[in-house]
Amino acid sequence: MGVFSGHWPSESELDKLRQKVAEMSGRDAQEVRVVVSPYRICPLGAHIDHQGGTVSAMTINRGILLGFVPSNDTQVTLQSGQFKGEVRFRVDEVQLPKHISKTNGLNEQIDSSKPQEECKWGNYARGAIYALQNKGNPLKTGITGFICGSEGLDSSGLSSSAAVGIAYLLAFESANGLVVCPTENIEYDRQIENEYLGLKNGILDQSAILLSSYGCLTCMNCKISHSVENSDNYRPHVQTIKHKLIRPPEVQNNHVGELGNAYKILLAFSGLKQALTTNPGYNRRVAECQEAAKLLLQASGNEEVEPVLSNVEPEVFEAHKSKLEPDLAKRAEHYFSENERVLKGLEAWASGNLKEFGELITASGLSSIQNYECGCEPLIQLYEILLKAPGVLGARFSGAGFRGCCLAFVDADRAEEAAMFVKNEYCKLQPELASHINQGPAVLICDAGDCARVI
């Protein structure tokens, strides 16, 4: 268990990936294309996206790599660095959502010669074909590909599923000569997750991965605008997120980004693979936010409006919060204070004030614990250790806050020292969990990343 930093993807990683695909396909390594699909973090904006709040995001220089060559036919052949088995199908096969396949007894998508769980990892690739077919894209060329995540990295809380879906979309589009804009790919990845796989999540992750730009903070207004497509492929409620890139002052002036050289991003892993908490989970919190919104809207005479907290004015909350039960009042307090922290954080980033930016991240973490009441003892301990680490500017949970990791912004000159401090202190408090982090680093030192792309 250790500390790791470095450039990603490195030339050696790219060379190994290209060589692997060359061996699989019998083609020259120089023909191999690589999709870089980064993981994302959200420094500010915890647990408010589902209420239509404003959030901030940026990618990191770790994520998913997919090396591939276009096939000479419609065949898709995939292998994985993390999972066993080989996935094979054709791009001209009709891909049905998984629940439809099951109810109709159509199991031809699963290779019965291998254990089923070994090939489930291929569902994201099939889902990408499903999304592209839905829009009527002509798909005539398959790929031979090898996909892998950043080595030894537990990606809990870092949006790995969205990164995988986007990687496959970009590869199939590249192989078939399709030019697709980022906003279209956000919708395609939503279809992979919501429609094909049946997952109930929003579009924050894929938006961050596709819209971010190196050195910038991506600001996203999650107050969803819905549109309805009237076509043979009827898909109601296509979602869009309004976004803008907040550039630090040095980037705006086209100089080498001094702000980018001033900080590093720490990811500290807890060793938790599942929630170790008696607190109600994610869906319960969403319901509590909606109930608070409903009561506040009723109190202000706006009960016909959709019950999400973004439809409640802050002054309405202040005037009527005494009417809420204590738990509901806490959830609403977190929403309104976090939304305010995001707006202040965007100003701090734009002016290059990392100290204030970090303080807001820490306040976000505290509100997540006290008002949103997520987290469990190991994660809270990790958060508190990060705040004591040398050079740390601010810290909070990454992801839902019931497992996974914490993130911190740290003075670049003290990143190694801080990472070692966190690793040692966490081992003292949680030796058993720390021992589970045996294949990768306990603390990862990262830089900001760029958007998903083909290189």
Side-chain angles (χ1 to χ4, degrees), residues 23-40:
E23 291 169 7
M24 288 175 62
S25 63
R27 307 269 281 278
D28 193 288
Q30 291 183 338
E31 295 180 58
V32 177
R33 309 174 195 178
V34 179
V35 180
V36 178
S37 189
Y39 298 142
R40 68 94 189 99

Side-chain angles (χ1 to χ4, degrees), residues 301-415:
N302 288 312
E303 56 267 25
E304 76 284 352
V305 177
E306 183 186 3
V308 290
L309 286 167
S310 59
N311 285 331
V312 179
E313 295 297 329
E315 51 269 27
V316 169
F317 168 62
E318 290 299 327
H320 299 289
K321 63 183 177 182
S322 61
K323 298 173 183 175
L324 299 176
E325 294 175 8
D327 282 353
L328 299 186
K330 284 182 182 179
R331 308 301 178 256
E333 177 64 39
H334 173 75
Y335 170 83
F336 287 105
S337 64
E338 184 72 355
N339 215 47
E340 185 64 26
R341 280 187 288 272
V342 173
L343 300 179
K344 289 180 179 177
L346 298 175
E347 291 179 8
W349 187 266
S351 63
N353 189 339
L354 273 177
K355 181 175 181 294
E356 183 185 353
F357 187 71
E359 289 169 352
L360 290 163
I361 293 172
T362 298
S364 168
L366 188 61
S367 182
S368 291
I369 294 167
Q370 294 181 342
N371 291 324
Y372 206 74
E373 294 184 283
C374 69
C376 51
E377 185 181 31
L379 272 179
I380 293 170
Q381 288 173 337
L382 195 50
Y383 164 77
E384 291 171 345
I385 290 167
L386 280 163
L387 295 183
K388 296 173 186 171
V392 164
L393 301 161
R396 77 169 194 85
F397 304 148
S398 182
F402 294 107
R403 65 185 178 103
C405 65
C406 290
L407 68 89
F409 278 61
V410 61
D411 186 311
D413 294 334
R414 307 195 73 181

Side-chain angles (χ1 to χ4, degrees), residues 210-355:
L210 284 160
L211 299 173
S212 290
S213 180
Y214 177 76
C216 301
L217 197 62
T218 307
C219 165
M220 291 182 282
N221 183 336
C222 296
K223 197 162 187 177
I224 298 296
S225 58
H226 297 289
S227 62
V228 176
E229 293 191 7
N230 293 313
S231 68
D232 294 336
N233 295 321
Y234 174 72
R235 295 194 304 280
H237 304 307
V238 175
Q239 302 173 355
T240 57
I241 277 184
K242 294 179 182 176
H243 81 286
K244 59 182 176 180
L245 297 175
I246 310 299
R247 305 177 189 277
E250 295 78 12
V251 177
Q252 287 174 347
N253 295 328
N254 295 319
H255 295 142
V256 175
E258 188 178 317
L259 182 59
N261 296 331
Y263 71 90
K264 296 285 185 183
I265 299 162
L266 292 188
L267 297 176
F269 300 96
S270 66
L272 288 169
K273 299 299 180 185
Q274 57 187 4
L276 298 179
T277 177
T278 55
N279 284 342
Y282 178 86
N283 290 340
R284 174 71 179 274
R285 290 289 181 272
V286 174
E288 288 169 338
C289 289
Q290 290 172 333
E291 181 64 18
K294 179 181 175 183
L295 294 171
L296 290 167
L297 289 165
Q298 286 174 348
S300 61
N302 288 312
E303 56 267 25
E304 76 284 352
V305 177
E306 183 186 3
V308 290
L309 286 167
S310 59
N311 285 331
V312 179
E313 295 297 329
E315 51 269 27
V316 169
F317 168 62
E318 290 299 327
H320 299 289
K321 63 183 177 182
S322 61
K323 298 173 183 175
L324 299 176
E325 294 175 8
D327 282 353
L328 299 186
K330 284 182 182 179
R331 308 301 178 256
E333 177 64 39
H334 173 75
Y335 170 83
F336 287 105
S337 64
E338 184 72 355
N339 215 47
E340 185 64 26
R341 280 187 288 272
V342 173
L343 300 179
K344 289 180 179 177
L346 298 175
E347 291 179 8
W349 187 266
S351 63
N353 189 339
L354 273 177
K355 181 175 181 294

Side-chain angles (χ1 to χ4, degrees), residues 80-320:
S80 166
Q82 275 73 37
F83 301 102
K84 296 178 182 178
E86 184 172 84
V87 170
R88 295 175 65 86
F89 62 94
R90 299 188 314 277
V91 294
D92 53 355
E93 290 175 16
V94 175
Q95 299 295 336
L96 298 173
K98 301 319 292 176
H99 64 281
I100 294 177
S101 297
K102 288 173 185 173
T103 48
N104 290 347
L106 300 176
N107 296 317
E108 72 276 7
Q109 296 175 18
I110 297 170
D111 184 348
S112 59
S113 67
K114 296 187 175 71
Q116 187 172 328
E117 61 272 12
E118 287 190 0
C119 290
K120 278 187 178 176
W121 62 266
N123 284 341
Y124 280 90
R126 295 186 179 96
I129 295 298
Y130 164 83
L132 290 165
Q133 287 174 343
N134 253 3
K135 192 69 173 177
N137 289 291
L139 298 175
K140 297 178 181 178
T141 305
I143 63 171
T144 299
F146 186 85
I147 190 166
C148 56
S150 291
E151 213 166 305
L153 171 57
D154 175 5
S155 57
S156 303
L158 300 174
S159 70
S160 57
S161 63
V164 169
I166 288 165
Y168 285 124
L169 285 169
L170 295 184
F172 287 127
E173 289 161 3
S174 173
N176 285 276
L178 300 174
V179 178
V180 180
C181 69
T183 51
E184 280 184 277
N185 272 327
I186 291 168
E187 168 59 12
Y188 289 161
D189 194 67
R190 183 201 67 76
Q191 288 185 48
I192 295 173
E193 303 224 33
N194 295 172
E195 296 179 21
Y196 187 77
L197 297 172
L199 303 175
K200 295 181 179 178
N201 48 8
I203 59 172
L204 171 60
D205 292 345
Q206 48 270 66
S207 298
I209 292 167
L210 284 160
L211 299 173
S212 290
S213 180
Y214 177 76
C216 301
L217 197 62
T218 307
C219 165
M220 291 182 282
N221 183 336
C222 296
K223 197 162 187 177
I224 298 296
S225 58
H226 297 289
S227 62
V228 176
E229 293 191 7
N230 293 313
S231 68
D232 294 336
N233 295 321
Y234 174 72
R235 295 194 304 280
H237 304 307
V238 175
Q239 302 173 355
T240 57
I241 277 184
K242 294 179 182 176
H243 81 286
K244 59 182 176 180
L245 297 175
I246 310 299
R247 305 177 189 277
E250 295 78 12
V251 177
Q252 287 174 347
N253 295 328
N254 295 319
H255 295 142
V256 175
E258 188 178 317
L259 182 59
N261 296 331
Y263 71 90
K264 296 285 185 183
I265 299 162
L266 292 188
L267 297 176
F269 300 96
S270 66
L272 288 169
K273 299 299 180 185
Q274 57 187 4
L276 298 179
T277 177
T278 55
N279 284 342
Y282 178 86
N283 290 340
R284 174 71 179 274
R285 290 289 181 272
V286 174
E288 288 169 338
C289 289
Q290 290 172 333
E291 181 64 18
K294 179 181 175 183
L295 294 171
L296 290 167
L297 289 165
Q298 286 174 348
S300 61
N302 288 312
E303 56 267 25
E304 76 284 352
V305 177
E306 183 186 3
V308 290
L309 286 167
S310 59
N311 285 331
V312 179
E313 295 297 329
E315 51 269 27
V316 169
F317 168 62
E318 290 299 327
H320 299 289

